[in-house]
């Protein structure tokens, strides 16, 4: 409902020294004034804030989940193509004495280096544009004052999650290196 200029809104805040009687006072006021007034206690407000906090954590977890799924899909596709291109090279490395485990680790470390560059770029863009862009989007929802607070955990956690996911997925996808044999060099 939109407010017209003729409507008058009056809000009173009361702070009680002894808050043990809050429920009794609220009930008496509701009995006396019925639906002429609306009463909101601090407990009600804190309940709403708790719900909003829970929903925001759920949204963060959803974003992490979608990011991990996206990484799994992209890395597995890239690893397949990269393995086909570099299969001959892995045969040469194995003939020089490299083990499959070392080659797989080296393969995965390349993905982490690229991931760190991507995270650094994303972090710079986020710090520069996050407050402005989210402020504009939230303003359309009625939230006019948005502050983006960065903590060490809010910066380090995504970096760790993305790098571990990149390493794990690329290491798993590089399992084909085990099957590469030096006999591949004889064909040429």
């Amino acid at each position: 409902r939109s407010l017209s200029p003729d409507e008058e809104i009056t809000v009173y805040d009361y702070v009680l020294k002894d808050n043990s009687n809050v429920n009794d006072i609220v009930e008496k006021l509701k009995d006396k004034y019925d639906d002429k007034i609306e009463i909101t206690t601090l407990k009600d407000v804190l309940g709403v804030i708790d719900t909003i906090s829970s929903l925001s954590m759920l949204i963060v977890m959803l974003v992490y989940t979608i990011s991990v799924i996206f990484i799994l899909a992209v890395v597995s596709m890239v690893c397949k193509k990269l393995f086909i291109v570099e299969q001959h090279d892995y045969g040469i490395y194995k003939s020089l004495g490299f083990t499959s485990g070392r080659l797989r680790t080296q393969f995965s470390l390349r993905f982490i280096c690229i991931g760190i560059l991507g995270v650094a770029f994303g972090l710079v863009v986020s710090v520069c544009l996050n407050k402005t862009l989210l402020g504009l989007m939230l303003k359309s929802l009625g939230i006019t004052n948005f502050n983006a607070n960065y903590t060490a955990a809010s910066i380090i956690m995504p970096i760790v999650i993305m790098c571990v996911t990149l390493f794990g997925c690329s290491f798993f996808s590089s399992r084909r290196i085990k099957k590469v044999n030096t006999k591949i060099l004889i064909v040429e």
Side-chain angles (χ1 to χ4, degrees):
R1 175 184 115 154
S2 61
L3 297 175
S4 70
D6 298 334
E7 290 183 90
E8 187 177 314
I9 299 175
T10 307
V11 177
Y12 295 103
D13 291 327
Y14 295 100
V15 179
L16 303 175
K17 289 181 182 178
D18 180 17
N19 61 359
S20 62
N21 298 330
V22 170
N23 292 334
D24 294 335
I25 294 171
V26 168
E27 289 303 319
K28 288 178 184 177
L29 287 172
K30 283 183 180 179
D31 289 341
K32 183 174 182 179
Y33 294 104
D34 197 26
D35 61 348
K36 294 179 185 174
I37 63 170
E38 183 178 329
I39 300 172
T40 306
T41 63
L42 182 59
K43 184 179 178 182
D44 299 335
V45 173
L46 292 177
V48 170
I49 291 172
D50 190 41
T51 303
I52 292 170
S53 176
S54 298
L55 286 174
S56 67
M57 285 304 294
L58 185 66
I59 290 170
V60 167
M61 291 301 142
L62 181 67
V63 168
Y64 283 150
T65 303
I66 291 170
S67 299
V68 166
I69 291 170
F70 181 75
I71 287 173
L72 293 175
V74 170
V75 168
S76 78
M77 289 188 301
V78 170
C79 285
K80 286 178 187 175
K81 295 220 182 242
L82 199 57
F83 179 75
I84 291 169
V85 171
E86 296 179 349
Q87 185 175 7
H88 187 266
D89 295 342
Y90 292 125
I92 294 171
Y93 288 137
K94 281 193 168 186
S95 70
L96 293 173
F98 283 91
T99 63
S100 294
R102 288 179 66 187
L103 289 172
R104 290 177 73 190
T105 303
Q106 178 265 341
F107 185 84
S108 300
L109 287 175
R110 286 192 291 174
F111 279 89
I112 285 184
C113 291
I114 292 168
I116 288 173
L117 290 174
V119 167
F121 176 74
L123 185 63
V124 169
V125 169
S126 177
V127 168
C128 293
L129 300 176
N130 191 23
K131 183 175 181 177
T132 305
L133 292 178
L134 276 177
L136 287 173
M137 288 190 299
L138 292 174
K139 198 175 281 186
S140 66
L141 299 173
I143 300 171
T144 57
N145 188 10
F146 171 75
N147 288 326
N149 295 327
Y150 292 99
T151 62
S154 70
I155 293 173
I156 293 172
M157 180 100 152
I159 293 172
V160 169
I161 289 173
M162 295 306 138
C163 288
V164 167
T165 304
L166 276 170
F167 184 84
C169 184
S170 60
F171 192 81
F172 179 76
S173 295
S174 68
R175 66 190 179 279
R176 294 182 185 149
I177 292 176
K178 290 181 188 177
K179 297 177 185 174
V180 172
N181 200 336
T182 54
K183 292 179 185 175
I184 198 170
L185 301 175
I186 296 173
V187 175
E188 290 188 14

